[in-house]
Amino acid sequence: MTISHERRFEFDIQGFLHLRGAMAATEVRDCLGWARAAEGADTAELGGEHPDRLINRPVSRIIDVDPRFARFLDHPAVSAYLIDFLGPRYKHIDNELYYTYPGYDGGPWHRGVRAHPTGHVVAGRFICPMVKVFYCLTDVGPGQGEFAVVPGSHRAHFDVDGGPADRGDDPLHRTARGRIDLPGQKVFDDVAAGDVIIFNEGLLHTGRPNPSGKTRKTVIVNFGRQDAGPWPGYRALPETLQSVTPRQASILTSDTGMWVEPR
């Protein structure tokens, strides 16, 4: 698949793409079945370093729990975008089966990597250090724990508190806590099961409160460039590497240590 100029322009300007209907209904149904079977998995039993860094809402390292989820490392609807944004030898950083449960209060606004003056484009090429993909397994409407971003904030010069967008500290600490809404935000309240959302982790983003009785279910996979290492606790098990395709194993395998944002 070749990425159109229009799609590259859209990702450059907005920092995200919403791919509607990227997954077939049969694929979504299969994944929901695998997810139900995996919900009670104890990731501590899998071993691995830094278990304290796992999110487990309900299952972190879902690819280790069920290698069938490795399909999302090089999914045909997404892989060409990842190659364009990160390079042909892009790497896995972390992966989650992530649920936004009824009663969720919402998370803080944050970004996974620093904002960049050119939005991570140099000389006509994307140089994104981190790109995240949401594979949406359920419909999401208004008031159902929607995902939200601030389009264009991957090139912000001011943070939400009025200071500079890059103060040189840990980007995960540059957050707006306690605020549900930000100026210019985009709320994904029109998502259908099978949609895929790809975004530059330099975007300010959050999960909104879920006052509904519905659980939002998402498979999340985070990717980086060739020199990216996994997030602490997310290095794939040897058994997993033997269970997936050679291409998927190469994405899961990195010569780099744990994730450190390139400067």
Side-chain angles (χ1 to χ4, degrees), residues 68-114:
R68 288 177 294 186
F69 283 96
R71 68 193 298 120
F72 297 120
L73 294 169
D74 58 350
H75 194 281
V78 169
S79 61
Y81 292 101
L82 296 174
I83 290 170
D84 198 22
F85 302 154
L86 296 167
R89 297 179 63 187
Y90 67 82
K91 298 295 181 181
H92 156 269
I93 294 176
D94 58 56
N95 65 94
E96 311 281 342
L97 176 63
Y98 190 85
Y99 289 1
T100 301
Y101 295 106
Y104 177 61
D105 291 334
W109 287 93
H110 63 284
R111 51 167 59 93
V113 296
R114 297 172 184 83

Side-chain angles (χ1 to χ4, degrees), residues 53-237:
R53 301 299 295 268
L54 304 182
I55 297 172
N56 283 326
R57 284 187 48 192
V59 184
S60 296
R61 296 172 59 189
I62 188 62
I63 295 174
D64 281 324
V65 172
D66 187 340
R68 288 177 294 186
F69 283 96
R71 68 193 298 120
F72 297 120
L73 294 169
D74 58 350
H75 194 281
V78 169
S79 61
Y81 292 101
L82 296 174
I83 290 170
D84 198 22
F85 302 154
L86 296 167
R89 297 179 63 187
Y90 67 82
K91 298 295 181 181
H92 156 269
I93 294 176
D94 58 56
N95 65 94
E96 311 281 342
L97 176 63
Y98 190 85
Y99 289 1
T100 301
Y101 295 106
Y104 177 61
D105 291 334
W109 287 93
H110 63 284
R111 51 167 59 93
V113 296
R114 297 172 184 83
H116 188 276
T118 69
H120 303 105
V121 175
V122 173
R125 293 180 59 249
F126 288 103
I127 59 162
C128 306
M130 187 186 291
V131 171
K132 188 167 283 188
V133 182
F134 283 9
Y135 295 93
C136 305
L137 302 183
T138 55
D139 298 343
V140 183
Q144 295 180 347
E146 313 95 312
F147 179 58
V149 302
V150 179
S153 56
H154 57 315
R155 62 180 75 205
H157 293 279
F158 297 94
D159 211 336
V160 291
D161 62 1
D166 182 1
R167 296 195 296 267
D169 54 359
D170 181 347
L172 293 177
H173 294 161
R174 294 198 295 276
T175 61
R177 299 186 183 278
R179 296 183 63 173
I180 295 175
D181 299 299
L182 287 182
Q185 67 187 11
K186 157 68 177 176
V187 179
F188 291 89
D189 58 2
D190 59 346
V191 171
D195 287 2
V196 171
I197 300 168
I198 307 173
F199 67 98
N200 184 328
E201 266 279 10
L203 286 184
L204 284 166
H205 57 278
T206 189
R208 293 172 65 82
N210 184 8
S212 76
K214 183 177 179 180
T215 298
R216 174 165 70 94
K217 299 184 178 183
T218 313
V219 174
I220 300 176
V221 189
N222 202 6
F223 298 94
R225 297 197 299 257
Q226 175 181 338
D227 57 352
W231 190 248
Y234 288 87
R235 189 176 300 280
L237 296 174

Side-chain angles (χ1 to χ4, degrees), residues 4 9 12 19 36 49 59 88 94 104 119 168 185 239 249 254:
S4 69
F9 180 87
D12 171 32
L19 309 181
R36 283 190 294 271
E49 74 278 346
V59 184
D94 58 56
Y104 177 61
Q185 67 187 11
E239 308 90 279
S254 175

Side-chain angles (χ1 to χ4, degrees), residues 63 67-68 70 73 239-249 252:
I63 295 174
R68 288 177 294 186
L73 294 169
E239 308 90 279
T240 302
L241 299 177
Q242 295 171 4
S243 301
V244 300
T245 69
R247 171 61 174 158
Q248 292 162 357
L252 287 168

